[in-house]
Amino acid sequence: MRAIAYSMDLLLPGLYIWIFGFSFRIGGSIPDDIPYKYPGEIHSCTGIALVLPGYRIFTTYQGSYDPKQTSNTGANSF
């Protein structure tokens, strides 16, 4: 799933399908983890995307690739 998020984020041409943890990818690229690990995620259980040359993307996914982070404000709630 990280490879699909990476490829869609960079608009690398390919066909991407993901269904409940199973993913299928034609094209795109595996994230290069040097000098840091690509943090992007897909926050959807199912979807399909087609990225064409010329930065054209058609996808059912409308979310962000940013990892969900919990805020650490230092305040405790009871």
Side-chain angles (χ1 to χ4, degrees):
M1 293 295 289
R2 224 167 51 91
I4 291 176
Y6 177 78
S7 297
M8 287 175 50
D9 197 14
L10 294 180
L11 295 174
L12 299 176
L15 174 66
Y16 313 105
I17 301 171
W18 61 97
I19 301 171
F20 299 111
F22 172 76
S23 61
F24 178 74
R25 175 175 61 90
I26 297 175
S29 180
I30 296 173
D32 183 14
D33 290 337
I34 299 172
Y36 64 91
K37 184 177 179 180
Y38 177 73
E41 296 177 9
I42 294 179
H43 306 288
S44 172
C45 294
T46 61
I48 186 169
L50 176 64
V51 181
L52 300 174
Y55 304 110
R56 304 281 295 169
I57 184 169
F58 303 95
T59 182
T60 59
Y61 183 67
Q62 299 300 317
S64 170
Y65 303 113
D66 294 333
K68 293 186 179 188
Q69 298 176 356
T70 58
S71 64
N72 186 5
T73 60
N76 293 328
S77 63
F78 293 99

